[in-house]
Amino acid sequence: MIPETPASDRRAINPTVVPVLGAISVSHLLHDTVQSLLPAIYPILKSSFQLTFAQIGLITFTLQVTASLLQPLVGWFTDRRPMPYLLVVGMSCSLAGLLVLAGASNLTMLIVSAGFIGFGSSIFHPESSRIARMASGGRHGLAQSLFQSGGNIGSACGPLLAAFVVAPYGQASIVWCAGVALAAIVVLWRIGQ
């Protein structure tokens, strides 16, 4: 049996890369802000489009299925062939979903928007989690908790964006929220490098 290297020795060999860990956590915050915006505006969409609860359920189903079922496939693929630039691709898909959402005029466009946002999430999460672990320097618990905290804060910020931007200014103001996605793309591009 090979003895395990103590954690302190692993950190000396591979120190925690705090700037990368911070950047990936901030990008997780920005991404999950975008992802949580759609469910936060369901009351606005229900009223504007006169949607039934079944139609809201279909939008949610599309968002969650594309975000969840594709993630293991992306994770499996990037474990074999790491692709940090996929982070930008994932966030760009979420940005496309936001832009479609801002201009949506019917249920089909709302579903397409949800699909883009979910697909972006399925690409973003496995690769960003892998990068957080790489930057951990062996401090996996710290890295994962910082990464998750970014996502949880982002999930809390989406409804605030809905309340302070979309509710008072309408569906078209979702375009302004694209700034969040663009900021994330800039951060993720730097991480990819």
Side-chain angles (χ1 to χ4, degrees):
M1 186 168 156
I2 300 171
E4 188 175 324
T5 307
S8 58
D9 291 345
R10 284 194 307 266
R11 282 193 294 273
I13 296 167
N14 297 315
T16 303
V17 186
V18 175
V20 171
L21 192 52
I24 201 70
S25 298
V26 167
S27 67
H28 194 194
L29 182 153
L30 297 171
H31 177 274
D32 283 15
T33 297
V34 168
Q35 186 178 2
S36 66
L37 180 63
L38 177 57
I41 64 167
Y42 283 167
I44 297 167
L45 297 176
K46 186 174 186 323
S47 174
S48 299
F49 292 91
Q50 300 171 355
L51 301 175
T52 65
F53 283 107
Q55 291 169 325
I56 294 287
L58 184 58
I59 295 167
T60 303
F61 178 80
T62 302
L63 176 66
Q64 296 302 326
V65 165
T66 55
S68 300
L69 292 183
L70 296 175
Q71 266 191 57
L73 295 173
V74 173
W76 176 79
F77 183 76
T78 59
D79 277 346
R80 294 170 174 260
R81 186 175 175 195
M83 301 178 80
Y85 287 105
L86 272 183
L87 294 169
V88 172
V89 172
M91 198 63 227
S92 297
C93 287
S94 295
L95 171 61
L98 271 184
L99 297 176
V100 170
L101 181 60
S105 59
N106 56 48
L107 177 62
T108 302
M109 290 179 73
L110 294 174
I111 292 170
V112 167
S113 166
F116 271 116
I117 294 170
F119 188 63
S121 178
S122 72
I123 295 171
F124 172 82
H125 282 100
E127 189 66 2
S128 60
S129 180
R130 187 183 67 76
I131 288 175
R133 183 172 174 86
M134 283 176 37
S136 73
R139 299 170 77 183
H140 304 302
L142 172 67
Q144 186 62 26
S145 62
L146 288 174
F147 178 71
Q148 284 303 120
S149 292
N152 291 341
I153 293 167
S155 293
C157 290
L160 291 176
L161 236 119
F164 294 112
V165 176
V166 183
Y169 301 106
Q171 180 186 345
S173 68
I174 295 170
V175 169
W176 302 344
C177 301
V180 174
L182 290 172
I185 288 170
V186 169
V187 172
L188 293 169
W189 181 263
R190 296 296 305 270
I191 290 170
Q193 290 177 330

